[in-house]
Structure formats: C-alpha cells, structure tokens
Amino acid sequence: MAKEGAQRAEETEQMIDKEGGREAAEGGAGGSLRAGDAKEMRAVVLSAFGGLNKLRVSKKAMPEPQEGELKIRVKACGLNFIDLMVRQGNIDNPPKTPLVPGFECSGIVEALGDSVKGFEIGDRVMAFVNYNAWAEVVCTPVEFVYKIPDDMTFSEAAAFPMNFVTAYMMLFEVANLREGMSVLVHSAGGGVGQAVAQLCSTIPNVTVFGTASSFKHEAIKNSVTHLFDRNADYVQEVKRISADGVDIVLDCLCGENTGKGLSLLKPLGTYILYGSSNMVTGETKSFFSFAKSWWQVEKVNPIKLYEENKVIAGFSLLNLLFKQNGGGLIKGVMDKLLNLYNCKKIKPVVDSLWALEEVKEAMQRIHDRGNIGKLILDVEKAPTPLMANDSTETSEAGEEEEDHEGDNENKERMPFIQ
C-alpha cells in the first residue's frame, strides 16, 4: 500500500509538470489548447435549457482563485441525475444560461487563494462546486475540498462526494439507522443506491429492499437483501417478506411512490424524499409529467402522521451545502466516509468513463436509467470518432435546431443555489 501511495505521489508531480508545459497536439473543441492559450480552457457549456442539443464543448476563460479558494486542474467530473434536470430547466429558480454544469470533480491543486491553509500545490483532491465542474479548471472554496486517499483513483474520487454524502446523511443523520433495521431504496443500481447498500452493510443485521430495472438485477443482486423490478408491485412484495413494512424509505422518484412509501413505514419509521426523477420523461421538460407527478403525491396529513407515529423528511445536499451553510457538517461526514473507505468497507462504483465531448451520450445513458453506479466525465479521455464531431447540433429528428426566444425567459431568474 505504501509503495502504491509513493507511486501515485510521483505520478501527481509528473502530471503537474506536464500540465504546466503542455503544448497542443490536436485541434478543435476536443483537442488540447496551444501553449499561447494558457488562460483558456475547455468546458461543457449549456447554452439554454432544453434538450441535448443545448450542450457543447467550448473554450472559456480560465478562472483564478479568489480569497479562500483553491484552483483545481480537473481530471474527472461526476455526472448526476440532478445535472439532467438542470439541463432541462426542471428545477426551482434555475440559474441564468449560458452556464457550465456540474457539481463535483476531482483533480490536482494548481494554485491557492489568499488565506487558504491545509492544502499545497500538487495535492490530489475531490471537491463540491456550485456549478462549473465540467471544465478543465475550477475554483471552489476550501471548505468544499477534500484530499483523496493514496489508493483512490481520480474517477473513483469524482464518484464519491455526492453519492456517499447523500446516502450517509439520509441513513445516519436523518433516519438514525441502527442494527436490525430495514431500508427500502429506489434506483438501487444507481450511484446513491449502491452507496446506500454499501453503508447499510456496515451495520449488523440491516435488511435492504431495492427496486431497479430488471436488466440490472444480475449485476447488483449481491448488494441488497431483496431486489424487485421497478415496474412491479413492490409494496406487496415487501409486505410479503415483512408484514410490518420497513423502518426507512429512501425515495428519489416522487409521484405515486410517496404514498406507497408512507404506507410501508413501520411505527417510528422515516420516509425521505431526495429526488423527483419521475418528473423526467422526455428529452425536454414536460409540464404534463410535472403536473402528473405533483398530483400523484400523497397529501400529507399531520394528524395522521401523529396517530401512526411516522416521520416524513426531505434531503437536498446541494441546498445544504450552498444555501444553508452546511459545509462544516459535510466536512465531518466526509471524514467518517473516508475512514470507511480506508478500512475497505465502502468503494465508489463507476459505471463508465466519457470524454467531455461525449457528454450528450453520457447524459442519455442516465436518462435511460442504464447506468450501474456513477457515470464519469474523464477530462483527459479522447472522444470516440463518431462522438467527436460537435460542430452541428441536431434534434432527435436529425434537423438542425435553433435557440428560441422562449429559452431566454429563464435568464432573468435567480439561481436556485447561491
């Protein structure tokens, strides 16, 4: 292990030297920048809210760290379902476009802002970013940055923060998971679902019920206790195994699943909503899907909760981090998670690696719920030839699609995360 750590440290130093003197060997949006373009970088840019055609890789001015910030040369970026919803504008008070998406990344510290302590140039780190993560360089406050263990790859590090912090906070901070409890988690094959399953395995005698698409069952069957098809009547399946229901329900679907989840709770059980993927059906935002999901949500009666001794809660990691000053709390959680990682009790599951120029294909895989674990944008990966041509944006019908005036209506809204 010590030898591997020394090798990684040497590789890090070599990468820093390489980045500092790199000269372009390729052209176009997918190639490296010329030495004279040192103040520019590649980034994924969302020009307006809508379909996949609103995404393209462009050159942007390279940011420099302000006081209390770190400048990170990005190696890998996490791709989450919330990124798909941001692209569609399917969130409350979306930010102005154009913007660079992405909320987590890993890489190497390249510069330190004033008053930054605890980090040095060359450190391998992972970080939360309030947008702008899908780029070659990012700057973010030091409170959102964490050092990477020696044996953790950049891809694993980019898959770690959002999934495992979300899973840990819900299980242990909100629901108080203890020995002998039972948990129902939807999308068990996704990044958060797999993190939940691993964290539950660190507590004795925890039963995990999971729902997932049937084609994922073979790959994830050993990570949960009982696995059901996401389209099956999982309520009856759970009650057949556990007549009293479960202690914790983790719901990223919303809609009709809210009522089903509440009906499965044991007395003193906790239902936690942390997503609303049922609102995403087509490539662009659907007001019909939004309305349908909203009306299917169980109307919560506090008196009924009181009588049945049930708890209903919500969890948004991004809001906790960037709107509710939760950086200190998350730092403590990350310390616990990294200790679990170092003890070989948890490990991020990476589904696949994609070049920045392949972001549309990667996002489509998430839309199709095809991933098992986390999709990663590898900044240094060369795109495959069929995916590299990003010069013309087309719709699914193959016709060139232009930005419409209506796309600009959202530009005056305030960001949902400030």
Side-chain angles (χ1 to χ4, degrees):
M1 187 66 67
K3 183 178 179 181
E4 292 179 0
Q7 290 175 339
R8 289 187 179 277
E10 183 177 352
E11 291 173 359
T12 296
E13 293 178 2
Q14 293 174 350
M15 284 186 283
I16 286 288
D17 294 338
K18 181 180 177 182
E19 294 294 347
R22 174 182 290 182
E23 293 185 358
E26 303 175 9
S32 301
L33 298 175
R34 296 186 300 274
D37 295 331
K39 296 299 182 182
E40 286 189 314
M41 65 177 184
R42 287 184 304 140
V44 176
V45 176
L46 179 66
S47 61
F49 299 115
L52 293 169
N53 65 301
K54 304 301 183 183
L55 292 166
R56 69 168 67 235
V57 175
S58 302
K59 290 183 179 180
K60 289 183 63 68
M62 185 180 298
E64 295 299 331
Q66 304 300 308
E67 182 175 1
E69 290 186 340
L70 291 173
K71 179 181 179 181
I72 301 171
R73 175 67 59 171
V74 177
K75 299 298 179 183
C77 318
L79 203 162
N80 300 282
F81 203 87
I82 184 65
D83 298 311
L84 189 156
M85 298 184 72
V86 167
R87 189 203 78 213
Q88 293 186 347
N90 208 355
I91 56 175
D92 289 336
N93 299 316
K96 296 179 181 179
T97 55
L99 62 86
V100 176
F103 298 102
E104 63 182 338
C105 65
S106 65
I108 302 171
V109 176
E110 195 168 82
L112 307 175
D114 292 340
S115 75
V116 170
K117 297 180 180 179
F119 291 90
E120 297 179 356
I121 293 175
D123 283 345
R124 301 170 70 247
V125 296
M126 53 187 161
F128 291 108
V129 188
N130 192 6
Y131 290 100
N132 298 307
W134 295 356
E136 290 183 313
V137 174
V138 301
C139 293
T140 193
V142 65
E143 65 176 315
F144 303 138
V145 183
Y146 318 91
K147 291 182 181 179
I148 300 174
D150 289 339
D151 61 342
M152 181 183 283
T153 66
F154 286 117
S155 297
E156 289 175 333
F160 194 85
M162 286 195 68
N163 288 349
F164 275 96
V165 171
T166 296
Y168 187 97
M169 291 291 293
M170 292 192 298
L171 289 172
F172 298 105
E173 300 291 339
V174 180
N176 192 23
L177 177 66
R178 302 183 302 281
E179 181 177 354
M181 282 188 166
S182 55
V183 179
L184 168 65
V185 59
H186 293 295
S187 299
V192 173
Q194 286 295 286
V196 166
Q198 291 186 31
L199 288 171
C200 286
S201 70
T202 67
I203 305 298
N205 196 30
V206 171
T207 301
V208 180
F209 298 89
T211 69
S213 300
S214 57
F215 70 89
K216 298 183 181 183
H217 285 200
E218 183 63 28
I220 67 172
K221 64 182 181 181
N222 294 327
S223 64
V224 299
T225 315
H226 304 286
L227 188 58
F228 312 121
D229 190 293
R230 69 190 303 263
N231 297 314
D233 184 0
Y234 63 86
V235 173
Q236 293 306 315
E237 291 293 325
V238 171
K239 288 185 174 180
R240 180 178 59 82
I241 299 169
S242 175
D244 294 334
V246 298
D247 297 291
I248 301 170
V249 173
L250 305 178
D251 182 11
C252 60
L253 305 178
C254 197
E256 63 180 354
N257 293 282
T258 300
K260 292 179 179 180
L262 287 171
S263 72
L264 281 173
L265 282 185
K266 295 179 181 179
L268 302 182
T270 303
Y271 163 92
I272 305 174
L273 179 69
Y274 71 101
S276 53
S277 64
N278 276 345
M279 294 183 183
V280 176
T281 51
E283 185 181 342
T284 58
K285 181 178 179 179
S286 169
F287 289 99
F288 173 78
S289 296
F290 176 85
K292 178 182 178 182
S293 187
W294 173 258
W295 284 109
Q296 285 179 332
V297 171
E298 180 84 3
K299 303 306 181 285
V300 178
N301 183 340
I303 300 299
K304 187 175 180 180
L305 293 177
Y306 153 73
E307 292 174 343
E308 296 182 351
N309 282 302
K310 294 182 178 180
V311 178
I312 185 169
F315 182 76
S316 167
L317 176 57
L318 296 178
N319 283 340
L320 183 63
L321 276 170
F322 302 125
K323 292 182 67 174
Q324 298 162 352
N325 301 313
L329 175 60
I330 300 305
K331 174 64 167 60
V333 170
M334 281 293 290
D335 290 342
K336 295 174 183 177
L337 287 168
L338 289 173
N339 182 61
L340 289 172
Y341 175 86
N342 289 327
C343 293
K344 310 298 183 184
K345 293 185 177 181
I346 61 174
K347 183 180 178 65
V349 178
V350 175
D351 174 83
S352 49
L353 304 180
W354 306 76
L356 289 182
E357 291 77 12
E358 297 168 342
V359 63
K360 295 183 222 178
E361 290 76 17
M363 193 165 278
Q364 185 63 51
R365 182 168 173 81
I366 281 190
H367 183 280
D368 295 338
R369 281 74 167 177
N371 58 297
I372 297 176
K374 191 66 160 279
L375 277 78
I376 299 297
L377 296 179
D378 185 336
V379 175
E380 296 182 335
K381 182 180 183 295
T384 59
L386 291 177
M387 299 179 183
N389 186 6
D390 208 40
S391 59
T392 302
E393 305 298 340
T394 58
S395 67
E396 287 186 330
E399 300 173 349
E400 187 168 348
E401 213 171 277
E402 299 179 354
D403 292 347
H404 299 287
E405 293 296 329
D407 291 328
N408 295 322
E409 293 178 359
N410 288 322
K411 292 187 178 181
E412 300 305 316
R413 300 183 184 178
M414 295 297 291
F416 88 114
I417 298 173
Q418 299 178 347

